[in-house]
C-alpha cells in the first residue's frame, strides 16, 4: 500500500496525478490537496479512478501536519510553489513522510533561488531515516539525470555541459508564460550566471545569446539564464570545467517582457495602490492567462537536453541527449501542455522509484546523486523518450 499526498493543483499537479493514476500498482491511494479545493475536485473529476481531495494552506506547517496525520502518506509530492518547500519539508519531518519537489526554495520577498535552505535539512532527514528528493521535474530533474547518465556510461571526464531548453510551441496568445507566471518571470528577469573554472560569472538579464539548431524545431535564438540545477551539478559532476543553461524566447516574448519591465510590472517590491499594498508581479499574474488554460490550442514541440564535451578512452567525445515533446500529444493524453507534462512526468517517475525502493537513502538528494539507469528506462516507458546523438562543433 503506497499512500501518496500531492500538494498543488496547478498545471504540473494535474499532470502528476494523471500519470500516478496510470500506475495503480505503485500509487495505490492518492490525495490531491491545494489552497483551492475546487481545483482539486475539478481535476479529480477527469481521472479514471477515484482519489481523495483536501484543502490545505501549505505555508502553514500546523495545517500540513494535521492533514498528513489524518491521511498518513508515505510520500509527499510538492508541486505547489517554491515558497512552500520548507514548510512542507518541515511537516514531512514531523510526520515521518518522505518528500519530493520540482523546484528549489525561493523566499517570497527576494528573487533568489538557491539550494542552501533545503540542503540545510540534510542531517534532519538523515537522522529521521527519510528521503527528500529535490528537483524531480525536467530542468531541474531530467537534465540532472542526463548528466549522471553521461558520467556513468559515456564519458571518463565531462569537461563542459550546455543545457538547452527550447519551446517551439505556439499557444496563440500575444504573451503568456508556460508555468506559474510569477515564478517564471522572477527567473528570467534576474541576472544570468554560468560557471567556469570554479567561478560563477554573471551577465545582465538575457544579455548573452546564441543560435542553436534544435532537433524538430530548427535554429532558435537561445538566451543564457541562471538555472538551479547548475548549483548541484558543479558539485556532483567531477572534472567539470564549465556549465551553462540556455532557453529560447521569441522576439515577441522579449518585446512584451521589455515593456512590462520598463513600466515596473515585473517588480516584486510592494507598492501602494488605492490604499492597499500590492506586488506588481502578482497583479500581472492575475492578468495573464493561467498556464493550464493554454493547453487546448497549443501546437508545436519542445526540445530539452544537454550537450556534453569531454573525453572517453583518451579521445574527445561530444554527445547530445535530448527529449522532444509535442504540446498537442500531451493534451491528447492528459489534457495539459508540454511544459507541464515534461515537469509532471519526471515528478511521478521520481516518486515511483522512491516507492519501489529503486531510489533509496536517508537525507536530502539531488537527482544526479542517484543511479540514472532506472530513471532513464522509466522516461522511455512513461512518455518522455530520449535520444542520444553525436554532436559536432562548439556552442
Ligand atoms: P501553478 O501556479 O499552475 O500551480 C501552483 C499550485 O500550487 C496551485 O494549485 C496553487 O493553488 C497551489 N498553491 C500555491 N500556494 C499554495 C499554498 N500556500 N498552499 C497550497 N497550495 C498552494 O504552477 P505550476 O503547476 O505551473 O508549477 C508548479 C511547480 O512546478 C512550481 O514550483 C514550478 O516552479 C515548478 N516547475 C518546475 C519545472 C521543472 O522543470 N523542474 C518546470 C515548470 C514548473 P491556487 O490554485 O489556489 O493558486
Amino acid at each position: 500500500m503506497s499512500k501518496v499526498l500531492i500538494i498543488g493543483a496547478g498545471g504540473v499537479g494535474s499532470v502528476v496525478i494523471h500519470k500516478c493514476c496510470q500506475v495503480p500498482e505503485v500509487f495505490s491511494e492518492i490525495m490531491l490537496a491545494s489552497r483551492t479545493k475546487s481545483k482539486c475536485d475539478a481535476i479529480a473529476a477527469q481521472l479514471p479512478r477515484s482519489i481523495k481531495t483536501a484543502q490545505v494552506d501549505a505555508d502553514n506547517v500546523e495545517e500540513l501536519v494535521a492533514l498528513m496525520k489524518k491521511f498518513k502518506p508515505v510520500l509527499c509530492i510538492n508541486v505547489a510553489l517554491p515558497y512552500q518547500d520548507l514548510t512542507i519539508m518541515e511537516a514531512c519531518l514531523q510526520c515521518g513522510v518522505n518528500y519530493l519537489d520540482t523546484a528549489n526554495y525561493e523566499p517570497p520577498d527576494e528573487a533568489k533561488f538557491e539550494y542552501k535552505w533545503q540542503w540545510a535539512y540534510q542531517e534532519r532527514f538523515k537522522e529521521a531515516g527519510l528521503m527528500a528528493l529535490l528537483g524531480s521535474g525536467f530542468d531541474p530533474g531530467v537534465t540532472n539525470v542526463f548528466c549522471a547518465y553521461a558520467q556513468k556510461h559515456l564519458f571518463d571526464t565531462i569537461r563542459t555541459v550546455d543545457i538547452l531548453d527550447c519551446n517551439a510551441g505556439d499557444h496563440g496568445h500575444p504573451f503568456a508564460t508556460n508555468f506559474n507566471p510569477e515564478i517564471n518571470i522572477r527567473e528570467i528577469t534576474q541576472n544570468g550566471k554560468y560557471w567556469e573554472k570554479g567561478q560563477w560569472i554573471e551577465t545582465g538579464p538575457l544579455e548573452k545569446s546564441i543560435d542553436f539548431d534544435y532537433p524538430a524545431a530548427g535554429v532558435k535564438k537561445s538566451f543564457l539564464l541562471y538555472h538551479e540545477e547548475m548549483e548541484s551539478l558543479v558539485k556532483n559532476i567531477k572534472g567539470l570545467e564549465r556549465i551553462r543553461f540556455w532557453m529560447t524566447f521569441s522576439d515577441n516574448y522579449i518585446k512584451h517582457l521589455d515593456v512590462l519591465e520598463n513600466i515596473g510590472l515585473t517588480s516584486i517590491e510592494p507598492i501602494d495602490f488605492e490604499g492597499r499594498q500590492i506586488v506588481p508581479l502578482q497583479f500581472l499574474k492575475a492578468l495573464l492567462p493561467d498556464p493550464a488554460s493554454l493547453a487546448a490550442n497549443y501546437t508545436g514541440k519542445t526540445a530539452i537536453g544537454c550537450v556534453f564535451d569531454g573525453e572517453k578512452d583518451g579521445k574527445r567525445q561530444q554527445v547530445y541527449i535530448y527529449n522532444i515533446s509535442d504540446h498537442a500529444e500531451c493534451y491528447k493524453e492528459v489534457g495539459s501542455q508540454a511544459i507541464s507534462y515534461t515537469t509532471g512526468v519526471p515528478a511521478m517517475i521520481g516518486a515511483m522509484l522512491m516507492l519501489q525502493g529503486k531510489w533509496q537513502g536517508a537525507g536530502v538528494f539531488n537527482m544526479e546523486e542517484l543511479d540514472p539507469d532506472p530513471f532513464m528506462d522509466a522516461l522511455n516507458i512513461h512518455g518522455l523518450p530520449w535520444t542520444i546523438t553525436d554532436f559536432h562543433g562548439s556552442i
Side-chain angles (χ1 to χ4, degrees):
M1 278 289 283
S2 292
K3 277 192 183 185
V4 173
L5 171 63
I6 300 171
I7 301 182
V12 177
S14 174
V15 175
V16 173
I17 197 148
H18 273 90
K19 296 303 286 192
C20 289
C21 285
Q22 291 177 5
V23 197
E25 63 280 17
V26 175
F27 300 93
S28 53
E29 220 182 301
I30 308 170
M31 175 184 273
L32 177 62
S34 193
R35 186 165 52 189
T36 314
K37 184 170 178 289
S38 58
K39 291 196 185 173
C40 303
D41 293 331
I43 294 171
Q46 305 161 7
L47 298 171
R49 53 186 262 223
S50 96
I51 60 151
K52 292 192 165 77
T53 60
Q55 196 279 328
V56 73
D57 176 5
D59 290 320
N60 182 319
V61 177
E62 278 173 26
E63 271 191 36
L64 287 164
V65 167
L67 183 68
M68 286 181 190
K69 285 202 167 145
K70 199 163 154 211
F71 182 58
K72 299 190 173 51
V74 291
L75 170 67
C76 176
I77 302 177
N78 167 17
V79 277
L81 298 180
Y83 315 129
Q84 282 85 47
D85 289 1
L86 303 187
T87 43
I88 297 177
M89 288 177 86
E90 198 62 54
C92 283
L93 279 169
Q94 287 189 31
C95 300
V97 175
N98 297 291
Y99 172 88
L100 177 151
D101 68 28
T102 65
N104 67 7
Y105 177 71
E106 181 169 344
D109 54 358
E110 196 190 354
K112 191 170 176 37
F113 47 90
E114 266 188 79
Y115 277 118
K116 70 172 182 206
W117 292 285
Q118 291 183 277
W119 283 342
Y121 279 78
Q122 177 66 270
E123 285 312 310
R124 291 177 66 198
F125 270 81
K126 218 179 210 171
E127 276 165 24
L130 293 171
M131 181 170 183
L133 182 61
L134 307 185
S136 192
F138 205 103
D139 44 343
V142 175
T143 48
N144 303 58
V145 174
F146 286 170
C147 290
Y149 183 86
Q151 187 171 48
K152 182 173 175 185
H153 296 291
L154 309 176
F155 287 87
D156 296 325
T157 307
I158 298 173
R159 300 271 177 224
T160 69
V161 180
D162 283 283
I163 302 168
L164 294 131
D165 180 331
C166 168
N167 178 11
D170 180 8
H171 47 54
H173 292 263
F175 183 82
T177 64
N178 295 295
F179 65 96
N180 184 283
E182 190 184 332
I183 303 299
N184 192 200
I185 291 174
R186 282 165 70 121
E187 174 179 283
I188 294 164
T189 53
Q190 65 170 267
N191 278 346
K193 200 161 71 166
Y194 65 100
W195 187 87
E196 187 159 29
K197 299 199 165 66
Q199 287 188 51
W200 289 104
I201 297 158
E202 276 211 18
T203 66
L206 308 186
E207 180 191 313
K208 208 171 154 62
S209 67
I210 51 164
D211 286 326
F212 187 80
D213 192 1
Y214 290 92
V219 176
K220 297 269 178 249
K221 198 167 185 183
S222 308
F223 293 83
L224 188 138
L225 293 186
Y226 177 60
H227 224 241
E228 64 194 61
E229 63 265 52
M230 293 192 288
E231 189 184 0
S232 65
L233 288 168
V234 300
K235 288 174 55 161
N236 294 324
I237 303 296
K238 302 295 168 224
L240 194 63
E241 289 171 7
R242 188 186 69 203
I243 183 164
R244 300 178 297 189
F245 182 96
W246 307 91
M247 190 179 270
T248 58
F249 298 105
S250 66
D251 291 344
N252 181 52
Y253 185 97
I254 301 283
K255 179 181 79 183
H256 280 78
L257 191 66
D258 274 348
V259 174
L260 295 169
E261 262 197 296
N262 287 340
I263 58 177
L265 266 171
T266 60
S267 168
I268 60 169
E269 289 300 320
I271 57 157
D272 284 324
F273 178 73
E274 296 189 342
R276 57 182 288 224
Q277 292 246 301
I278 62 162
V279 174
L281 182 54
Q282 287 173 2
F283 176 69
L284 175 61
K285 174 180 183 274
L287 295 175
L288 291 175
D290 176 358
S293 74
L294 305 174
N297 299 310
Y298 222 134
T299 55
K301 296 190 192 315
T302 61
I304 319 177
C306 305
V307 171
F308 300 96
D309 197 337
E311 283 107 45
K312 178 76 178 166
D313 301 328
K315 286 200 211 116
R316 184 173 182 197
Q317 165 107 313
Q318 285 179 286
V319 171
Y320 183 23
I321 311 181
Y322 61 87
N323 161 262
I324 305 284
S325 290
D326 183 291
H327 288 286
E329 291 293 322
C330 297
Y331 185 69
K332 221 189 293 167
E333 185 193 329
V334 296
S336 298
Q337 34 93 342
I339 307 300
S340 305
Y341 189 89
T342 54
T343 309
V345 171
M348 181 282 284
I349 293 174
M352 179 177 73
L353 297 183
M354 286 169 76
L355 295 170
Q356 290 172 328
K358 292 183 182 169
W359 275 12
Q360 259 181 327
V364 174
F365 295 86
N366 290 95
M367 303 286 284
E368 69 276 13
E369 295 177 271
L370 296 144
D371 180 7
D373 295 348
F375 199 99
M376 292 292 272
D377 290 344
L379 285 171
N380 282 331
I381 296 165
H382 294 281
L384 295 176
W386 41 272
T387 302
I388 300 184
T389 59
D390 289 339
F391 184 83
H392 303 284
S394 60
I395 296 177

